[in-house]
mmCIF file of all heavy atoms in Angstrom:
data_model
loop_
_atom_site.group_PDB
_atom_site.id
_atom_site.type_symbol
_atom_site.label_atom_id
_atom_site.label_comp_id
_atom_site.label_asym_id
_atom_site.label_seq_id
_atom_site.Cartn_x
_atom_site.Cartn_y
_atom_site.Cartn_z
ATOM 1 N N TYR A 306 71.481 -47.856 -13.447
ATOM 2 C CA TYR A 306 71.013 -48.810 -12.438
ATOM 3 C C TYR A 306 69.752 -49.543 -12.875
ATOM 4 O O TYR A 306 69.591 -50.735 -12.600
ATOM 5 C CB TYR A 306 70.734 -48.090 -11.114
ATOM 6 C CG TYR A 306 71.963 -47.850 -10.282
ATOM 7 C CD1 TYR A 306 72.573 -46.598 -10.246
ATOM 8 C CD2 TYR A 306 72.534 -48.868 -9.532
ATOM 9 C CE1 TYR A 306 73.710 -46.373 -9.491
ATOM 10 C CE2 TYR A 306 73.671 -48.659 -8.765
ATOM 11 C CZ TYR A 306 74.255 -47.405 -8.752
ATOM 12 O OH TYR A 306 75.390 -47.193 -8.007
ATOM 13 N N CYS A 328 70.947 -53.388 -12.298
ATOM 14 C CA CYS A 328 70.934 -54.067 -10.996
ATOM 15 C C CYS A 328 69.865 -53.532 -10.051
ATOM 16 O O CYS A 328 69.619 -54.112 -8.993
ATOM 17 C CB CYS A 328 72.304 -53.969 -10.328
ATOM 18 S SG CYS A 328 72.777 -52.290 -9.835
ATOM 19 N N ALA A 329 69.215 -52.421 -10.413
ATOM 20 C CA ALA A 329 68.186 -51.837 -9.537
ATOM 21 C C ALA A 329 67.037 -51.320 -10.392
ATOM 22 O O ALA A 329 66.973 -50.141 -10.719
ATOM 23 C CB ALA A 329 68.781 -50.725 -8.680
ATOM 24 N N GLU A 330 66.133 -52.219 -10.732
ATOM 25 C CA GLU A 330 64.995 -51.824 -11.567
ATOM 26 C C GLU A 330 64.019 -50.920 -10.833
ATOM 27 O O GLU A 330 63.271 -50.171 -11.460
ATOM 28 C CB GLU A 330 64.245 -53.067 -12.043
ATOM 29 C CG GLU A 330 65.036 -53.997 -12.941
ATOM 30 C CD GLU A 330 64.295 -55.290 -13.176
ATOM 31 O OE1 GLU A 330 64.078 -56.025 -12.204
ATOM 32 O OE2 GLU A 330 63.915 -55.538 -14.327
ATOM 33 N N GLU A 333 63.251 -49.085 -4.601
ATOM 34 C CA GLU A 333 63.575 -49.771 -3.353
ATOM 35 C C GLU A 333 64.946 -50.432 -3.394
ATOM 36 O O GLU A 333 65.558 -50.661 -2.344
ATOM 37 C CB GLU A 333 62.504 -50.824 -3.051
ATOM 38 C CG GLU A 333 61.158 -50.254 -2.656
ATOM 39 C CD GLU A 333 60.300 -49.802 -3.822
ATOM 40 O OE1 GLU A 333 60.770 -49.820 -4.989
ATOM 41 O OE2 GLU A 333 59.146 -49.426 -3.574
ATOM 42 N N TRP A 334 65.445 -50.759 -4.572
ATOM 43 C CA TRP A 334 66.724 -51.445 -4.701
ATOM 44 C C TRP A 334 67.908 -50.495 -4.863
ATOM 45 O O TRP A 334 69.044 -50.948 -5.021
ATOM 46 C CB TRP A 334 66.683 -52.411 -5.882
ATOM 47 C CG TRP A 334 65.818 -53.614 -5.639
ATOM 48 C CD1 TRP A 334 65.079 -53.897 -4.527
ATOM 49 C CD2 TRP A 334 65.608 -54.702 -6.542
ATOM 50 N NE1 TRP A 334 64.413 -55.088 -4.684
ATOM 51 C CE2 TRP A 334 64.717 -55.604 -5.918
ATOM 52 C CE3 TRP A 334 66.077 -54.998 -7.821
ATOM 53 C CZ2 TRP A 334 64.291 -56.783 -6.520
ATOM 54 C CZ3 TRP A 334 65.651 -56.171 -8.437
ATOM 55 C CH2 TRP A 334 64.772 -57.056 -7.789
ATOM 56 N N LEU A 335 67.666 -49.184 -4.809
ATOM 57 C CA LEU A 335 68.777 -48.236 -4.909
ATOM 58 C C LEU A 335 69.649 -48.250 -3.658
ATOM 59 O O LEU A 335 70.789 -47.810 -3.693
ATOM 60 C CB LEU A 335 68.250 -46.818 -5.160
ATOM 61 C CG LEU A 335 67.710 -46.554 -6.572
ATOM 62 C CD1 LEU A 335 67.085 -45.170 -6.649
ATOM 63 C CD2 LEU A 335 68.803 -46.711 -7.622
ATOM 64 N N GLY A 336 69.111 -48.747 -2.567
ATOM 65 C CA GLY A 336 69.901 -48.906 -1.352
ATOM 66 C C GLY A 336 70.604 -50.248 -1.352
ATOM 67 O O GLY A 336 69.993 -51.282 -1.607
ATOM 68 N N GLN A 337 71.879 -50.255 -1.080
ATOM 69 C CA GLN A 337 72.662 -51.494 -1.142
ATOM 70 C C GLN A 337 72.173 -52.536 -0.148
ATOM 71 O O GLN A 337 72.211 -53.733 -0.421
ATOM 72 C CB GLN A 337 74.135 -51.184 -0.893
ATOM 73 C CG GLN A 337 74.778 -50.338 -1.992
ATOM 74 C CD GLN A 337 76.199 -49.946 -1.668
ATOM 75 O OE1 GLN A 337 76.823 -50.491 -0.758
ATOM 76 N NE2 GLN A 337 76.733 -48.984 -2.424
ATOM 77 N N LYS A 338 71.684 -52.098 0.992
ATOM 78 C CA LYS A 338 71.227 -53.051 2.002
ATOM 79 C C LYS A 338 69.955 -53.768 1.579
ATOM 80 O O LYS A 338 69.672 -54.882 2.033
ATOM 81 C CB LYS A 338 71.013 -52.335 3.334
ATOM 82 C CG LYS A 338 72.301 -51.939 4.036
ATOM 83 C CD LYS A 338 72.022 -51.286 5.369
ATOM 84 C CE LYS A 338 73.306 -51.095 6.181
ATOM 85 N NZ LYS A 338 74.276 -50.245 5.485
ATOM 86 N N GLU A 339 69.168 -53.144 0.712
ATOM 87 C CA GLU A 339 67.918 -53.757 0.254
ATOM 88 C C GLU A 339 68.055 -54.416 -1.117
ATOM 89 O O GLU A 339 67.158 -55.139 -1.548
ATOM 90 C CB GLU A 339 66.803 -52.703 0.188
ATOM 91 C CG GLU A 339 66.386 -52.119 1.527
ATOM 92 C CD GLU A 339 67.353 -51.069 2.062
ATOM 93 O OE1 GLU A 339 67.983 -50.370 1.233
ATOM 94 O OE2 GLU A 339 67.482 -50.965 3.287
ATOM 95 N N ASN A 340 69.158 -54.150 -1.808
ATOM 96 C CA ASN A 340 69.341 -54.677 -3.158
ATOM 97 C C ASN A 340 69.673 -56.170 -3.107
ATOM 98 O O ASN A 340 70.571 -56.578 -2.357
ATOM 99 C CB ASN A 340 70.468 -53.910 -3.864
ATOM 100 C CG ASN A 340 70.563 -54.246 -5.334
ATOM 101 O OD1 ASN A 340 70.987 -55.329 -5.704
ATOM 102 N ND2 ASN A 340 70.172 -53.311 -6.174
ATOM 103 N N PRO A 341 68.972 -57.007 -3.879
ATOM 104 C CA PRO A 341 69.232 -58.452 -3.835
ATOM 105 C C PRO A 341 70.673 -58.834 -4.171
ATOM 106 O O PRO A 341 71.159 -59.876 -3.724
ATOM 107 C CB PRO A 341 68.259 -59.012 -4.886
ATOM 108 C CG PRO A 341 67.191 -57.992 -5.007
ATOM 109 C CD PRO A 341 67.855 -56.679 -4.784
ATOM 110 N N GLN A 342 71.339 -57.984 -4.988
ATOM 111 C CA GLN A 342 72.725 -58.266 -5.362
ATOM 112 C C GLN A 342 73.726 -57.536 -4.457
ATOM 113 O O GLN A 342 74.929 -57.611 -4.682
ATOM 114 C CB GLN A 342 72.960 -57.856 -6.811
ATOM 115 C CG GLN A 342 72.051 -58.541 -7.811
ATOM 116 C CD GLN A 342 72.302 -58.048 -9.234
ATOM 117 O OE1 GLN A 342 73.453 -57.934 -9.664
ATOM 118 N NE2 GLN A 342 71.243 -57.751 -9.965
ATOM 119 N N GLY A 343 73.204 -56.806 -3.476
ATOM 120 C CA GLY A 343 74.093 -56.038 -2.609
ATOM 121 C C GLY A 343 74.684 -54.829 -3.288
ATOM 122 O O GLY A 343 75.660 -54.252 -2.800
ATOM 123 N N LYS A 344 74.103 -54.428 -4.415
ATOM 124 C CA LYS A 344 74.587 -53.258 -5.157
ATOM 125 C C LYS A 344 73.548 -52.149 -5.046
ATOM 126 O O LYS A 344 72.415 -52.368 -4.646
ATOM 127 C CB LYS A 344 74.836 -53.628 -6.619
ATOM 128 C CG LYS A 344 75.875 -54.741 -6.776
ATOM 129 C CD LYS A 344 76.035 -55.153 -8.223
ATOM 130 C CE LYS A 344 77.067 -56.267 -8.353
ATOM 131 N NZ LYS A 344 77.230 -56.744 -9.731
ATOM 132 N N GLY A 345 73.925 -50.955 -5.409
ATOM 133 C CA GLY A 345 72.983 -49.863 -5.321
ATOM 134 C C GLY A 345 73.670 -48.525 -5.226
ATOM 135 O O GLY A 345 74.901 -48.427 -5.184
ATOM 136 N N TRP A 346 72.867 -47.470 -5.176
ATOM 137 C CA TRP A 346 73.378 -46.098 -5.191
ATOM 138 C C TRP A 346 73.997 -45.733 -3.848
ATOM 139 O O TRP A 346 75.020 -45.070 -3.779
ATOM 140 C CB TRP A 346 72.217 -45.157 -5.512
ATOM 141 C CG TRP A 346 72.593 -43.739 -5.776
ATOM 142 C CD1 TRP A 346 73.173 -42.853 -4.904
ATOM 143 C CD2 TRP A 346 72.411 -43.020 -7.000
ATOM 144 N NE1 TRP A 346 73.352 -41.628 -5.509
ATOM 145 C CE2 TRP A 346 72.888 -41.702 -6.803
ATOM 146 C CE3 TRP A 346 71.874 -43.341 -8.245
ATOM 147 C CZ2 TRP A 346 72.837 -40.725 -7.786
ATOM 148 C CZ3 TRP A 346 71.820 -42.369 -9.226
ATOM 149 C CH2 TRP A 346 72.315 -41.080 -9.001
#
Side-chain angles (χ1 to χ4, degrees):
Y306 278 101
C328 67
E330 296 171 296
E333 290 81 354
W334 289 1
L335 287 174
Q337 294 175 14
K338 287 182 171 60
E339 294 78 31
N340 189 288
Q342 302 178 46
K344 300 176 180 178
W346 189 296

